[in-house]
């Protein structure tokens, strides 16, 4: 989170608690997840490029879809932007299906998550730590 705060033209304005969750549509050890709100002057694709650069610096490899990883930085939302490109879809196309996204997002941006959306992922194993 500190590294995100150091990105050019970007600052962290809020951060959720950390949550532990079982892998979703994947195998392997539990994941640790959080959501961070940024203020940034970077356009969505430029911000995505910066996030992917940070993943690579942390040793991220992409051998196959949903492979276990050391760091996974997803761009969920970028203001009111709606995009559908081969590189980036905003809002994130699967965020409403994942408790590990919705619970921390609701913590820092309760206006972005409805009770119905939380109820839809209630069966997923997740723990605030």
């Amino acid at each position: 989170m500190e590294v995100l705060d150091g990105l050019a033209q970007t600052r962290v304005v809020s951060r959720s608690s950390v949550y532990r969750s079982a892998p979703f549509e994947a195998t392997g050890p539990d994941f640790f997840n959080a959501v961070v709100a940024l203020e940034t002057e970077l356009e969505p694709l430029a911000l995505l490029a910066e996030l992917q650069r940070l993943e690579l610096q942390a040793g991220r490899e992409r051998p196959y879809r949903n492979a276990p990883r050391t760091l996974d930085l997803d761009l969920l939302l970028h203001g009111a932007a709606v995009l559908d490109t081969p590189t980036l879809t905003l809002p994130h196309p699967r965020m409403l299906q994942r408790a590990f996204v919705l619970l921390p997002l609701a913590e820092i941006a309760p206006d972005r998550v409805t009770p119905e959306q939380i109820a839809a992922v209630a069966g997923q194993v997740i723990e605030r730590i």
Side-chain angles (χ1 to χ4, degrees), residues 62-76:
R62 297 174 186 266
Y64 55 90
R65 182 178 165 90
N66 293 329
R69 48 221 177 253
T70 54
L71 182 63
D72 183 27
L73 300 172
D74 288 326
L75 183 52
L76 304 173

Side-chain angles (χ1 to χ4, degrees), residues 25-89:
E25 298 179 343
T27 59
D30 287 352
F31 292 118
F32 293 91
N33 304 283
V35 171
V36 176
L38 304 174
E39 281 185 3
T40 185
E41 297 298 319
L42 298 175
E43 294 296 322
L45 290 172
L47 180 56
L48 178 65
E50 287 297 304
L51 297 177
Q52 291 176 338
R53 181 182 61 78
L54 293 175
E55 290 176 339
L56 287 174
Q57 285 179 342
R60 167 84 187 254
E61 296 178 355
R62 297 174 186 266
Y64 55 90
R65 182 178 165 90
N66 293 329
R69 48 221 177 253
T70 54
L71 182 63
D72 183 27
L73 300 172
D74 288 326
L75 183 52
L76 304 173
L77 302 159
H78 194 286
V82 176
L83 288 175
D84 189 7
T85 74
T87 308
L88 179 61
T89 302

Side-chain angles (χ1 to χ4, degrees), residues 8-31:
Q9 304 174 47
T10 302
R11 71 182 186 97
V12 172
V13 293
S14 62
R15 56 185 85 190
S16 74
S17 301
V18 175
Y19 291 76
R20 181 196 330 242
S21 63
F24 184 77
E25 298 179 343
T27 59
D30 287 352
F31 292 118

